[in-house]
PDB file of all heavy atoms in Angstrom:
ATOM      1  N   PRO H  34      24.731   0.077  -2.003  1.00 93.00           N
ATOM      2  CA  PRO H  34      26.164  -0.002  -1.704  1.00 93.00           C
ATOM      3  C   PRO H  34      26.843  -1.016  -2.592  1.00 93.00           C
ATOM      4  O   PRO H  34      26.195  -1.896  -3.187  1.00 93.00           O
ATOM      5  CB  PRO H  34      26.180  -0.449  -0.227  1.00 93.00           C
ATOM      6  CG  PRO H  34      24.837  -0.063   0.307  1.00 93.00           C
ATOM      7  CD  PRO H  34      23.894  -0.237  -0.835  1.00 93.00           C
ATOM      8  N   SER H  35      28.177  -0.931  -2.695  1.00 92.00           N
ATOM      9  CA  SER H  35      28.933  -1.873  -3.517  1.00 92.00           C
ATOM     10  C   SER H  35      28.880  -3.251  -2.882  1.00 92.00           C
ATOM     11  O   SER H  35      28.520  -3.416  -1.701  1.00 92.00           O
ATOM     12  CB  SER H  35      30.358  -1.375  -3.638  1.00 92.00           C
ATOM     13  OG  SER H  35      31.020  -1.492  -2.370  1.00 92.00           O
ATOM     14  N   VAL H  36      29.260  -4.241  -3.653  1.00 92.00           N
ATOM     15  CA  VAL H  36      29.319  -5.617  -3.130  1.00 92.00           C
ATOM     16  C   VAL H  36      30.234  -5.672  -1.943  1.00 92.00           C
ATOM     17  O   VAL H  36      29.908  -6.329  -0.906  1.00 92.00           O
ATOM     18  CB  VAL H  36      29.801  -6.574  -4.240  1.00 92.00           C
ATOM     19  CG1 VAL H  36      30.094  -7.964  -3.643  1.00 92.00           C
ATOM     20  CG2 VAL H  36      28.752  -6.690  -5.350  1.00 92.00           C
ATOM     21  N   THR H  37      31.386  -4.981  -1.988  1.00 93.00           N
ATOM     22  CA  THR H  37      32.322  -5.032  -0.874  1.00 93.00           C
ATOM     23  C   THR H  37      31.698  -4.392   0.380  1.00 93.00           C
ATOM     24  O   THR H  37      31.827  -4.937   1.489  1.00 93.00           O
ATOM     25  CB  THR H  37      33.580  -4.244  -1.253  1.00 93.00           C
ATOM     26  OG1 THR H  37      34.206  -4.871  -2.355  1.00 93.00           O
ATOM     27  CG2 THR H  37      34.552  -4.218  -0.062  1.00 93.00           C
ATOM     28  N   GLU H  38      30.982  -3.263   0.204  1.00 93.00           N
ATOM     29  CA  GLU H  38      30.353  -2.612   1.339  1.00 93.00           C
ATOM     30  C   GLU H  38      29.264  -3.477   1.976  1.00 93.00           C
ATOM     31  O   GLU H  38      29.173  -3.585   3.187  1.00 93.00           O
ATOM     32  CB  GLU H  38      29.765  -1.257   0.916  1.00 93.00           C
ATOM     33  CG  GLU H  38      30.809  -0.211   0.573  1.00 93.00           C
ATOM     34  CD  GLU H  38      30.207   1.037  -0.052  1.00 93.00           C
ATOM     35  OE1 GLU H  38      29.197   0.889  -0.766  1.00 93.00           O
ATOM     36  OE2 GLU H  38      30.751   2.109   0.159  1.00 93.00           O
ATOM     37  N   ILE H  39      28.458  -4.101   1.130  1.00 93.00           N
ATOM     38  CA  ILE H  39      27.403  -4.966   1.644  1.00 93.00           C
ATOM     39  C   ILE H  39      27.996  -6.167   2.346  1.00 93.00           C
ATOM     40  O   ILE H  39      27.533  -6.584   3.411  1.00 93.00           O
ATOM     41  CB  ILE H  39      26.452  -5.416   0.513  1.00 93.00           C
ATOM     42  CG1 ILE H  39      25.761  -4.168  -0.115  1.00 93.00           C
ATOM     43  CG2 ILE H  39      25.412  -6.376   1.027  1.00 93.00           C
ATOM     44  CD1 ILE H  39      24.918  -4.520  -1.335  1.00 93.00           C
ATOM     45  N   ARG H  40      29.037  -6.718   1.760  1.00 92.00           N
ATOM     46  CA  ARG H  40      29.697  -7.880   2.344  1.00 92.00           C
ATOM     47  C   ARG H  40      30.201  -7.540   3.763  1.00 92.00           C
ATOM     48  O   ARG H  40      30.001  -8.303   4.721  1.00 92.00           O
ATOM     49  CB  ARG H  40      30.872  -8.317   1.466  1.00 92.00           C
ATOM     50  CG  ARG H  40      31.620  -9.557   1.949  1.00 92.00           C
ATOM     51  CD  ARG H  40      32.914  -9.665   1.204  1.00 92.00           C
ATOM     52  NE  ARG H  40      33.836  -8.571   1.513  1.00 92.00           N
ATOM     53  CZ  ARG H  40      34.878  -8.253   0.797  1.00 92.00           C
ATOM     54  NH1 ARG H  40      35.180  -8.923  -0.303  1.00 92.00           N
ATOM     55  NH2 ARG H  40      35.651  -7.230   1.174  1.00 92.00           N
ATOM     56  N   ASP H  41      30.838  -6.388   3.884  1.00 91.00           N
ATOM     57  CA  ASP H  41      31.389  -5.996   5.189  1.00 91.00           C
ATOM     58  C   ASP H  41      30.301  -5.691   6.208  1.00 91.00           C
ATOM     59  O   ASP H  41      30.412  -6.046   7.368  1.00 91.00           O
ATOM     60  CB  ASP H  41      32.294  -4.782   5.009  1.00 91.00           C
ATOM     61  CG  ASP H  41      33.565  -5.069   4.209  1.00 91.00           C
ATOM     62  OD1 ASP H  41      33.892  -6.275   4.089  1.00 91.00           O
ATOM     63  OD2 ASP H  41      34.159  -4.140   3.715  1.00 91.00           O
ATOM     64  N   GLN H  42      29.249  -5.027   5.749  1.00 89.00           N
ATOM     65  CA  GLN H  42      28.192  -4.610   6.680  1.00 89.00           C
ATOM     66  C   GLN H  42      27.368  -5.786   7.198  1.00 89.00           C
ATOM     67  O   GLN H  42      26.863  -5.765   8.319  1.00 89.00           O
ATOM     68  CB  GLN H  42      27.298  -3.574   5.997  1.00 89.00           C
ATOM     69  CG  GLN H  42      28.037  -2.250   5.783  1.00 89.00           C
ATOM     70  CD  GLN H  42      27.364  -1.377   4.721  1.00 89.00           C
ATOM     71  OE1 GLN H  42      26.377  -1.758   4.119  1.00 89.00           O
ATOM     72  NE2 GLN H  42      27.931  -0.209   4.464  1.00 89.00           N
ATOM     73  N   PHE H  43      27.183  -6.814   6.366  1.00 91.00           N
ATOM     74  CA  PHE H  43      26.397  -7.957   6.761  1.00 91.00           C
ATOM     75  C   PHE H  43      27.229  -9.138   7.260  1.00 91.00           C
ATOM     76  O   PHE H  43      26.703 -10.092   7.780  1.00 91.00           O
ATOM     77  CB  PHE H  43      25.523  -8.445   5.573  1.00 91.00           C
ATOM     78  CG  PHE H  43      24.316  -7.596   5.311  1.00 91.00           C
ATOM     79  CD1 PHE H  43      24.430  -6.425   4.590  1.00 91.00           C
ATOM     80  CD2 PHE H  43      23.076  -7.978   5.779  1.00 91.00           C
ATOM     81  CE1 PHE H  43      23.324  -5.622   4.383  1.00 91.00           C
ATOM     82  CE2 PHE H  43      21.969  -7.201   5.545  1.00 91.00           C
ATOM     83  CZ  PHE H  43      22.076  -6.009   4.838  1.00 91.00           C
ATOM     84  N   VAL H  50      26.361 -11.947  -1.329  1.00 93.00           N
ATOM     85  CA  VAL H  50      25.866 -10.666  -1.804  1.00 93.00           C
ATOM     86  C   VAL H  50      25.408 -10.741  -3.230  1.00 93.00           C
ATOM     87  O   VAL H  50      24.336 -10.245  -3.602  1.00 93.00           O
ATOM     88  CB  VAL H  50      26.933  -9.572  -1.642  1.00 93.00           C
ATOM     89  CG1 VAL H  50      26.434  -8.241  -2.182  1.00 93.00           C
ATOM     90  CG2 VAL H  50      27.363  -9.443  -0.204  1.00 93.00           C
TER      91      VAL H  50
END
Side-chain angles (χ1 to χ4, degrees):
S35 68
V36 170
T37 299
E38 290 171 328
I39 298 174
R40 182 193 65 197
D41 292 343
Q42 291 160 0
F43 282 81
V50 177

